[in-house]
Amino acid sequence: MAREFGVTECEPATQGEAVLRKATKECSYRTELAPFWTTAIIVLSCVFILYHLITSRFGMPPMFKHRAIHLGFILCLVWMYYPASKRSIQSRPSTVDMVLIAASIAVCGYTVFNVDAFALRGGVALQRDYYFGAVAILLVLEACRRVAGKGLLILAIVFLLYALLGRHIPGVLSHRGYTIERIIYQMYLTTEGIYGLPIGIAATYLVLFIVFSSFLEKSGLGTLFNDVSLALGGRLVGGPAKVAVIGSGLVGMISGSAATNVATSGAFTIPLMKKIGYKPYFAGAIEAAASTGGQIMPPIMGTGAFIMAEFLGVPYISIAAAAIIPAVLYFAAVFFQVDLRARKIGLKGMAKEDLPDVKKTVLRYGHMFLPIVILVVLLMQHFTPLYAAFYSILVTWILSFLRKETRMGVDKLIPLAVSSARSCLSLSVAMANAGFVVAVLSMTGIGIILADNIVALSHGSLFVTLVLCMVVSIVLGMGLPTSACYIIAATIAVPILHEMKVPGLQAHFFVFYFACLSTVTPPVALASYVAAGMSGAGTNEVGWAAFKLALAGFIVPFFFIYAPAILLIADSAAVIAWAAVSGLLGAALLSVAVEGFLFIRLPWLLRIVFFAAALSLIAPGLNSDLIGFGLTATGLAGTLILRKKYGGTRDNEPGTM
């Protein structure tokens, strides 16, 4: 029964499931639950999803109550799913888990039924409020340890201790310190701690879009993306790798998790890439880089767009539109580099008979692309994201009945609800812990202090400040879910950029990109770790190769600041169009520089010339473009001279289409 209703499956591929369970805490849940607990999880998951669907359309309870109800569901499911350790009982929750379930119900129930009385008291806390608050903090920290891992747990504890012991810290980081009661009050009885903006975003938007993504995946949209990509690009040089770039980017757009996307799409694409001649480490790196890029791919952007829209108070569609050119540049750079690698080592495409029948695939699953169109149209018509998500889910379900292959009856809806609820666990727990960090930053003013000191450290240099913010975003993102990383990094880094007069949209996009790219940044590159397990290659090999493939993603964000036309911030459409064209050429030249190949293998001097040309062209502007074109002409002339001088050897001869 457990397997039938999806309680034990992490991802469809057996190998992917095994790798994910080894790589991520969120997939290390109990897999052989007793029938009673399987049923309990199914019922609780379905109620959880139904609650969010109903409240999204017909009105939510007051903010505090809604967030407490959401957290109550999340904590109860965590104790049912996740054992305290590997030695704990695996077939059912232990006695300790049962106590934690009871405590979670008591704490969240107390919050729901006492929030009105607390408001009537004018925010004056009673002694029992502090007791319940202390228990709530401990529950959230323990849930983080079980689900999200040690990185975020340590970060949350460090910030809580900083709030308590700040008076004992010398230097600029010192503050007057807060009592335990004051900390508990801030974390539990205000909207800046556990029930702050991060958990609010999870409870309001992210659950709906996780459900929507699950509906799309179960409807066969992933199969449609993969088969169409394979049919269109499979016969090209290095075809399966190009399919991985396109298909994984599209699937990653709706999955919201780079690691999960690698495990899902990689089970299909990595063996194909290895089969035509790509080395295992490079096949894994391609999948990791493409899956990571899915999080920056509009219109859904792995739910990141909705968090940014909430931060900035702007329509979601504005965020999605601004992300178009950067996403194209990122995937173009990966695509070009894959093509050059295939040509350099003389790979061919796939045989025609090995390609799927795209016509049959479109007839089977093509109608399931319509919900994404409806989502975008509703958002463009300025409907709320909740309204758009609800009706997109409803349309997806109705359309599924048009064909037998996509039909979603009760037998599919129940496991879908279970898998959706489980996908919400790590995200919501991470968001609740992120609330600790946000609250302490607000209490102590450390964010402003850090901003002032980093600006002083950079001596007023915007570029140095950007590099420091990049490092902060990447370091915070190591091992954290992208959404939680983005919220924490934005809380710390965006004020720093504001000190340097960087506008909000550009600052948030800068931080968001590096939060996403942390999944392919060594040494802790989660997407690369999963890809290494899928490909059978070494983690470091895959990590550094994926880093090279994603290099454009590390460069483009700097031009968000210096040349905002990339984010559609310009006086005319012509400026934006030219920024896209010159940026695309720059992405191609960046691939040439990184891969070291264009007709022949290039010496380092020419690679440096092409790299400089790429930077000049990616940065929009007449002067930089003229420099870029001049450097490009120099590089091409040098390449042609070398090709004529040395001719074509087996290593240097280009592949053919």
Side-chain angles (χ1 to χ4, degrees), residues 562-573:
Y562 292 107
I566 290 179
L567 295 177
L568 308 186
I569 302 172
D571 295 330
S572 68

Side-chain angles (χ1 to χ4, degrees), residues 380-394:
M380 290 180 69
Q381 295 299 317
H382 302 293
F383 287 98
T384 67
L386 287 181
Y387 182 95
F390 177 85
Y391 280 103
S392 297
I393 291 169
L394 184 61

Side-chain angles (χ1 to χ4, degrees), residues 206 256 295 302-304 307 427 431 480-488:
L206 300 192
Q295 297 176 102
T303 70
I307 302 174
L427 182 60
M431 292 298 206
L480 298 188
T482 301
S483 298
C485 170
Y486 165 52
I487 287 176
I488 295 172

Side-chain angles (χ1 to χ4, degrees), residues 298-584:
I300 297 177
M301 296 171 65
T303 70
F306 303 99
I307 302 174
M308 195 183 303
E310 187 74 9
F311 263 128
L312 292 170
V314 300
Y316 152 82
I317 201 67
S318 300
I319 305 296
I324 293 174
I325 295 177
V328 169
L329 296 182
Y330 177 87
F331 279 101
V334 177
F335 188 92
F336 291 143
Q337 194 173 335
V338 164
D339 177 76
L340 292 169
R341 173 62 64 97
R343 294 175 184 279
K344 184 164 68 173
I345 60 179
L347 299 184
K348 305 296 182 183
M350 296 175 64
K352 184 177 181 180
E353 56 270 19
D354 293 333
L355 301 178
D357 189 330
V358 68
K359 192 175 293 185
K360 287 184 179 179
T361 302
V362 171
L363 288 174
R364 283 181 181 176
Y365 303 112
H367 59 291
M368 299 313 301
F369 188 74
L370 185 60
I372 292 183
V373 176
I374 291 173
L375 174 70
V376 174
V377 170
L378 288 175
L379 290 168
M380 290 180 69
Q381 295 299 317
H382 302 293
F383 287 98
T384 67
L386 287 181
Y387 182 95
F390 177 85
Y391 280 103
S392 297
I393 291 169
L394 184 61
V395 169
T396 305
W397 181 61
I398 294 171
L399 287 175
S400 73
F401 287 93
L402 292 180
R403 297 196 63 85
K404 183 179 179 180
E405 293 88 347
T406 59
R407 193 168 298 150
M408 293 186 198
V410 175
D411 59 324
K412 289 187 178 180
L413 288 177
I414 292 177
L416 190 150
V418 172
S419 63
S420 297
R422 191 174 59 236
S423 296
C424 294
L425 298 184
S426 64
L427 182 60
S428 294
V429 169
M431 292 298 206
N433 275 268
F436 294 141
V437 177
V438 174
V440 172
L441 287 169
S442 174
M443 291 172 67
T444 62
I446 184 62
I448 298 174
I449 295 171
L450 286 174
D452 290 340
N453 281 275
I454 287 181
V455 169
L457 181 66
S458 66
H459 298 290
S461 168
L462 177 59
F463 180 76
V464 174
T465 303
L466 291 173
V467 171
L468 292 173
C469 289
M470 175 188 74
V471 172
V472 167
S473 301
I474 290 174
V475 170
L476 287 175
M478 291 181 177
L480 298 188
T482 301
S483 298
C485 170
Y486 165 52
I487 287 176
I488 295 172
T491 306
I492 295 174
V494 168
I496 298 172
L497 296 178
H498 283 171
E499 284 281 315
M500 300 298 292
K501 311 302 181 185
V502 176
L505 181 67
Q506 294 156 250
H508 275 276
F509 257 100
F510 183 88
V511 173
F512 175 68
Y513 256 62
F514 288 115
C516 293
L517 291 169
S518 65
T519 61
V520 288
T521 306
V524 184
L526 192 55
S528 298
Y529 186 97
V530 175
M534 298 292 293
S535 64
T539 304
N540 287 333
E541 280 185 307
V542 174
W544 286 111
F547 176 80
K548 286 174 59 181
L549 283 165
L551 187 60
F554 291 88
I555 295 173
V556 169
F558 284 87
F559 297 116
F560 296 164
I561 312 300
Y562 292 107
I566 290 179
L567 295 177
L568 308 186
I569 302 172
D571 295 330
S572 68
V575 174
I576 294 171
W578 183 247
V581 172
S582 63
L584 198 60

